[in-house]
Amino acid sequence: MTDQAVAPEVGRRRLRKEDARLITGQTNWTDNIQVAGLLHLAILRSPMAHARITRVDVSPALERPGVLAAFSGADLTEGLGSLPCAWPVTEDIVLPDHPPIAVDEVRYAGDPVAVVVARDRYAAADALEAIEVDYDPLPPVLDLETALAPDAPLVHSDKGTNRCYTWPLATGESFEAVRDRAEVVLKRRYHQQRLIPNAMEPRAVVVTPLAASGEYTVYSATQIPHILRVMLAVVTGVPEHKLRVIAPDVGGGFGSKLQVYGEEALALAVARKLGRPVKWTESRSEGALATHHGRGMIQDVELAATREGRLLGLKVGLLADMGAYLMLVTPGIPILGAFMYPAIYKMDAYEFHCTGVFTTRTPTDAYRGAGRPEATFAIERIMDELAAELGLDPVELRRRNWIRHEEFPYTTIAGLTYDSGNYEAATDKALALFGYDDLRAEQRERNRRGDPVRLGIGVSTYTEMCGLAPSRVLRDLRYAAGGWEAASIRMLPTGKVEVVTGTSPHGQGHETCWSQIAADVLGVPFEDVEVVHGDTRAAPQGMDTYGSRSLAVGGEAVHRAARTVVEKARKVAAHLLEASERDLEFTGGVFSVKGSPEARRTIQEIAFEAFTNHDLPDGVEPTINAEHVVDPENFSYPHGTHLCAVEVDTETGRTRIRSYVCVDDVGRTVNPMIVEGQVHGGLAQGIAQALYEEAVYDDDGNLVTGTLADYLVPSAADLPDFVTDRTETPASSNALGVKGVGEAGTIASTPAVVNAVVDALRPLGVHDVRMPCTPERVWRAVKEASA
Amino acid sequence: MTRISVNVDGTTYEDDVEPRLLLAHYLRDRLGLTGTPIGCDTSNCGACTVDLDGATVKSCSVLAVQTDGCAVTTIQGLAQDGEWTALQRAFHEQHGLQCGYCTPGMIMAARDLLRENPHPGPDEVRQALEGNLCRCTGYQNIVRAVLAASGHQDPEAASASGHQVGEEVSA
């Protein structure tokens, strides 16, 4: 695939370049940034879910020591537009105004109401307490179904409805028709609880103005410096070319930093007003309120099948909680999922219908997997119910329905063309590693003797759409941007290499992986490559990092740019060696003439030659840099099989994961160590949704899980040791053959764990447990089943 | 304002501080030692863990005035002459970090564990790191890193052997 086959870097377990600074505390988090005259911004937030603001008086705050300024929402309205929603999924979608700070009405607990700017963070936090705000309470809107009733109180009264949009899809035969001829029809309702992302690094933003030129540098803990730059220009009116956005070291995102946040616009607005640098850093509890949440859906799923277990049709009705406002891609998250409900299965009919609903809660948006974990959960849960109904082994039911290896490429009922995959191979490997038959035997034995601690086995087979790219597909989905990615390679005069990427990592190891890709193609040492990212001035073009797109699109751009550099270098080499390009071999970074190996030039020598411009062939410009923008024709489709064994204590309700095995197929692997690490982290999140995490609101709309003391992020003691393995079917949508891995573990693990919990309890008459399957919920399910 | 004298990573600082100033903010904002990050405001996440006179503390739950006359070691005080400690090397070699935000606290907490118990088993490592949250790694490679630093020849096998989630570990 590459031009040479010497000591390939791609596929090698390379230790990460990133680690040195992270392990020694030499990091560059946004909150670390100190500049002369820096002021601290603190934000007063609504204590109510829904209220009219009748008065804001910031003047008492100004009397506090160290305070330089304080502003209400009304004070900041001028020059500050609505925050963007870039994914208006239907023509008639309701798009409410979304001011970065509330002016007349607050719509969720945590909505910004006023800001204070002070010399240090303590003074700023203190002064918030002096601000006086009068609220006239309005009824909260919390329940997705009653929110749609004609007489429901409205989140946005000017819109006349809490219905944000309806988005239907129907393909194949009509679902009604296949239901009529089906021998088994199952109908289930699943709840996707709200999750709080809790990236370890809280969000932060620093804005430094350069008064003379009207320029601003915005440092932000963001996944999307390039998109943020465009959007901040639109929201604040600062011309785009006067804005430089830098994402320094970013401490995790998981989608929660794929956002244009009001705080970023507020910090810029205040820095502009005062002509001084401004920093805002969220506290963890502030982040729980004001950083977007994930999931938040009710899924009504109907599955029609024959007695032999052949799927005939699937119908999905979805209520999706938008929260109070539409953030950058809020409405699109359920739509991404729409294409994934049929998963890896063949069927004759598919019907999907989604309603987006406004509530007076924190806005939702992309969170680890974004729509795809929810879809996979629903289909994988109901597949288990169907297996139980038919008396079939759940793995066998999946075998009878999935797309077989020889059938790829395969266009699914949802209209996606899966280019490659081998579900049989991944499943067989996982079953063997897991010891499936032995565990089933032990389960039967425990059930037979009525053991109070039951064994449950859960399976989940999945695929996902990664490598979010084809811009024309995104256009058809009404997404307001492209999905391309850019990279450039600069061969420096001394032969060292700078790779400039448009992706913006936050833990994924791009510096290491992109170095491996470039080193292979160019035939230079891994250590001679430096990766430049996350600064719109140094890496001016890009679409950033989310949705497991970086490697399949951004890595591919690096790959292609490097190949172009080699081709340019080949021209120079041919000239210097007085040979035709056709007669040149390129191996291990050396051009040599076929048949006379002593006639040779290294690519580093050619870089120097191209720098001096002393002896370049006609028509070749000095330097051998290259730039590529890649927009693949298709998504990539990682897949895999996950197996989980749990022990559920029916007397206490406590679930313990006994073993977890997964075999993922993420296409060609650039760095197996990094792939394994990403799978581990994804598993932790997916298991956490199954067993631990939930954003809980009280009846008034207050978030009652607003700190890490209330919201259970699992620790090392809560998670098992995972067994991970891989199969490898290369993707065809990029020359590297890579697919993406960031979300695989999350997508597959939640249904695997819940299937295992239900499997353990099924002999007791339990058919479902709502997530998270806490000891209390499990205990109640057992009690209710036996009542 | 209260005068304090505190030795941080081998350097003694004399400072006037507000009595309410948290050690985490003193280190970061006053001394510029930003290697210690802050991850929460409830001392649940452990990102800001440092060593205070031989005990690990979460620096967001200690006041700077309490450190008067004490010695504090942060992540930035571990490597000597550019030479990483065994734990730092192990985190690197076992891929025990991704975004790295929790890493300083993880390393400081693991250092404390290995001081008390130089050869812990995997469950003991997991229990010892219970107060340090990570959102990227799923902890598996962190556990392996600590086992590797404690001299396990095959940390992968050691971490996989016999670990049961939530199992109580006797002290």
Side-chain angles (χ1 to χ4, degrees), chain A residues 16 32 284 677 693 714 722, chain B residues 28 39 98 135 139-140 164:
Chain A
R16 297 199 321 168
N32 293 2
R284 177 63 53 184
E693 297 187 21
F722 311 113
Chain B
R28 293 177 52 78
Q98 288 179 30
R135 213 52 167 157
Y139 303 105
Q140 185 150 329
Q164 303 246 291

Side-chain angles (χ1 to χ4, degrees), chain B residues 30-45:
Chain B
R30 288 287 284 280
L31 303 188
L33 292 170
T34 51
T36 300
I38 299 174
C40 73
D41 35 27
T42 46
S43 69
N44 287 80
C45 86

Side-chain angles (χ1 to χ4, degrees), chain A residues 72 283 388 402 417 424 457 470 495 534 544 609 617 642 696 705 709 725 763 776:
Chain A
S72 69
S283 66
W402 68 41
T417 300
E424 297 91 325
I457 296 165
D544 309 315
E609 201 64 52
H642 288 222
V696 179
T705 52
D725 210 328
E776 188 193 342

Side-chain angles (χ1 to χ4, degrees), chain A residues 122-323:
Chain A
Y122 285 54
D126 275 355
L128 288 184
E129 288 173 16
I131 297 174
E132 293 168 14
V133 185
D134 292 339
Y135 297 98
D136 187 1
L138 293 166
V141 180
L142 301 169
D143 179 74
L144 294 180
E145 286 176 302
T146 57
L148 297 174
D151 58 345
L154 296 174
V155 180
H156 298 277
S157 53
D158 58 324
K159 298 299 181 189
T161 176
N162 291 323
R163 187 187 308 270
C164 173
Y165 67 89
T166 58
W167 195 93
L169 175 72
T171 67
E173 292 182 52
S174 91
F175 182 79
E176 302 305 316
V178 299
R179 179 164 48 195
D180 286 348
R181 71 166 197 268
E183 291 162 322
V184 186
V185 179
L186 292 183
K187 214 170 168 175
R188 294 288 184 275
R189 168 168 278 205
Y190 297 120
H191 292 263
Q192 293 288 328
Q193 77 269 33
R194 262 179 182 256
L195 299 178
I196 301 177
N198 281 311
M200 289 319 302
E201 181 206 18
R203 284 193 293 123
V205 57
V206 175
V207 179
T208 61
L210 277 172
S213 59
E215 290 175 72
Y216 296 87
T217 301
V218 179
Y219 300 85
S220 182
T222 183
Q223 296 173 226
I224 52 164
H226 297 93
I227 296 171
L228 180 60
R229 182 196 195 200
V230 181
M231 293 300 182
L232 274 184
V234 172
V235 172
T236 65
V238 175
E240 193 178 345
H241 66 301
K242 300 285 189 186
L243 275 177
R244 174 185 186 182
V245 177
I246 298 176
D249 286 328
V250 175
F254 317 112
S256 72
K257 292 172 183 169
L258 190 197
Q259 195 52 270
V260 178
Y261 279 107
E263 291 86 356
E264 289 160 324
L266 286 174
L268 179 49
V270 171
R272 174 169 61 185
K273 254 183 192 297
L274 304 180
R276 295 270 302 263
V278 168
K279 177 194 282 186
W280 170 78
T281 303
E282 79 178 359
S283 66
R284 177 63 53 184
S285 41
E286 197 179 13
L289 291 170
T291 294
H292 75 236
H293 293 177
R295 315 284 190 263
M297 295 180 193
I298 298 174
Q299 303 165 306
D300 287 308
V301 192
E302 207 173 338
L303 191 62
T306 68
R307 273 269 146 222
E308 284 69 46
R310 191 173 89 73
L311 300 188
L312 297 174
L314 173 69
K315 183 176 175 177
V316 177
L318 195 61
L319 290 178
D321 185 355
M322 304 284 101

Side-chain angles (χ1 to χ4, degrees), chain A residues 626-680:
Chain A
E627 181 172 320
H628 259 284
V629 177
V630 168
D631 201 335
E633 296 283 306
N634 195 358
F635 302 102
S636 61
Y637 299 96
H639 69 82
T641 297
H642 288 222
L643 290 159
C644 177
V646 297
E647 288 180 353
V648 184
D649 187 330
T650 56
E651 288 169 354
T652 64
R654 186 163 175 223
T655 297
R656 197 170 78 170
I657 293 179
R658 182 158 123 189
S659 64
Y660 196 100
V661 168
C662 61
V663 174
D664 294 291
D665 191 324
V666 297
R668 198 157 164 238
T669 308
V670 173
N671 187 324
M673 178 190 79
I674 287 176
V675 166
E676 187 180 87
Q678 294 241 313
V679 170
H680 290 169

Side-chain angles (χ1 to χ4, degrees), chain A residues 366-379:
Chain A
Y367 178 50
R368 208 150 189 173
R372 293 156 290 183
E374 297 94 316
T376 304
F377 180 85
I379 185 69

